[in-house]
Amino acid sequence: MSDIITKKFDIPAALIEKLRGQYGERADGILAAFARERPVTLRVNRLKGDAAAVESELARFSPKRSAFYEDAYILEGAKERELEETALYREGKIYLQSLSSMLPPLFLEPKAGESILDMTAAPGGKTTQLSALSEGGALITACEKDKFRFERLKYNVEKQGAARVTLLNEDARNLNPYFRFDKILLDAPCSGSGTFSPSQPVKWSEKLLFKCISLQRALLLKAFSLLKSGGMLVYSTCSILREENEDAVCSLKGARLVPLEAPVGAPLLPSMEDTLCVEPDGLFEGFFVAKLFKP
Ligand code: SAM
């Protein structure tokens, strides 16, 4: 079965070998999930909209609430383009976002008054979610290196009405070493090995993987140095490869892992104790999350 999938979606042989090495026979299920188009999912932006508006104004798409997060909806059969044409979308009352990518901000538990760094932030799905979860009260610094993506981040932060967000267009590795934050989200650049779908070109390569691995470690080290003692860091990637996830977390000295509660209804792959790795299954995309405490 997986040979057919490999041919059709051009999943590189080196990646298939890695998935088989890490997950054994479960790799076939993962590859089969990559062959399915995920439904459109969205998050209600509580800074501007509410669930009632989504349920009434988007009724024709039969929105279903996700089991793990009351702000998340699944719209089977809807097209992104159709959603983008709605008033709710244009007014920033909803944000199209994959279910798995809503997890890291939930685990960071942002509160009003806390200083929070979103270290690699564009296009801003998690920055705006952090703001919404804190009811606009968290003091967020959102950093993005890429100029073009930074403009997208700025646009989304404004459109979603996320207040108290300071935007920095710079390499997070060069952030002022005297900054200190209560909480940090490092949603790291990664090889994207958990996110393939038939409509997207496959961009994975071993070269990209190695580049991401070294960047992830540098960013993680920097993030930990910018965290206050007693602070929390959430590290996430949309990769399901150990090299980008558990190995990155284990490379960090002095941090303590905080156990994560499994999100209701999310399929999980085996991962290191106290971390989570969501399995790609046609609804969820592959995603890794770890929460670290700085003593
Ligand atoms: N958290 C974002 C969201 O939810 O919308 C997605 C972040 S994406 C996985 C990773 C981002 O990191 C990319 O936009 C990339 O341009 C940015 N990036 C890569 N290297 C960086 C660096 N050294 N400093 C800051 N941002 C960086």
Side-chain angles (χ1 to χ4, degrees):
M1 177 180 65
S2 46
D3 284 348
I4 299 165
I5 292 160
T6 310
K7 217 169 162 206
K8 192 168 171 198
F9 297 105
D10 266 348
I11 306 281
L15 175 57
I16 294 177
E17 203 178 304
K18 278 185 181 296
L19 293 175
R20 292 232 162 88
Q22 188 172 339
Y23 297 112
E25 288 185 359
R26 284 185 82 160
D28 282 341
I30 294 170
L31 292 167
F34 291 155
R36 291 163 63 193
E37 206 59 64
R38 285 182 292 279
V40 176
T41 53
L42 62 82
R43 174 173 56 79
V44 182
N45 173 23
R46 283 179 180 259
L47 297 171
K48 284 190 158 187
D50 56 45
V54 166
E55 287 175 21
S56 66
E57 291 179 42
L58 301 181
R60 66 185 184 282
F61 300 112
S62 310
K64 279 192 205 69
R65 234 181 193 154
S66 83
F68 73 94
Y69 182 24
E70 59 179 355
D71 290 352
Y73 282 88
I74 302 151
L75 290 83
E76 292 281 353
K79 303 251 180 305
E80 278 197 11
R81 194 180 26 80
E82 293 174 299
L83 268 300
E84 285 164 5
E85 282 163 4
T86 63
L88 284 179
Y89 179 88
R90 281 198 306 273
E91 291 162 10
K93 293 178 175 169
I94 56 171
Y95 189 90
L96 304 189
Q97 189 173 349
S98 84
L99 293 181
S100 302
S101 84
M102 298 179 199
L103 293 172
L106 288 172
F107 286 126
L108 198 62
E109 300 178 275
K111 306 271 184 325
E114 289 175 342
S115 60
I116 299 180
L117 172 64
D118 186 354
M119 206 166 175
T120 52
K126 298 184 191 66
T127 308
T128 53
Q129 189 184 353
L130 287 167
S131 178
L133 285 168
S134 71
E135 295 172 355
L139 308 163
I140 299 172
T141 302
C143 179
E144 169 59 44
K145 179 180 159 199
D146 183 272
K147 180 97 193 81
F148 178 77
R149 290 176 65 90
F150 177 78
E151 291 306 323
R152 198 70 207 161
L153 168 68
K154 199 167 147 198
Y155 171 82
N156 280 327
V157 164
E158 281 165 17
K159 182 173 171 180
Q160 302 281 307
R164 298 195 177 91
V165 180
T166 304
L167 298 167
L168 299 176
N169 182 198
E170 65 176 279
D171 187 325
R173 291 171 292 184
N174 300 332
L175 284 171
N176 186 323
Y178 296 106
F179 282 160
R180 285 295 175 274
F181 296 92
D182 296 313
K183 292 179 177 175
I184 297 179
L185 172 64
L186 173 52
D187 183 40
C190 72
S191 74
S193 71
T195 61
F196 304 115
S197 73
S199 59
Q200 300 293 325
V202 175
K203 289 191 187 139
W204 194 93
S205 70
E206 279 190 293
K207 193 173 164 203
L208 173 66
L209 174 65
F210 292 133
K211 201 174 141 202
C212 290
I213 288 173
S214 89
L215 183 54
Q216 288 154 357
R217 278 154 184 70
L219 287 167
L220 201 46
L221 209 57
K222 179 73 182 185
F224 204 57
S225 75
L226 297 177
L227 196 59
K228 284 183 190 167
S229 173
M232 290 289 183
L233 163 65
V234 166
Y235 174 79
S236 58
T237 73
C238 58
S239 174
I240 53 173
L241 294 176
R242 187 187 297 126
E243 295 100 308
E244 298 184 82
N245 299 333
E246 286 95 331
D247 292 355
V249 168
C250 291
S251 74
L252 194 62
K253 303 285 171 260
R256 208 184 302 147
L257 274 168
V258 178
L260 299 176
E261 201 177 313
V264 178
L268 297 181
L269 286 166
S271 67
M272 185 169 70
E273 195 177 355
D274 295 337
T275 68
L276 274 182
C277 191
V278 178
E279 178 170 15
D281 76 339
L283 174 58
F284 285 82
E285 60 181 9
F287 228 91
F288 174 83
V289 193
K291 185 170 180 175
L292 299 149
F293 173 74
K294 183 171 180 174

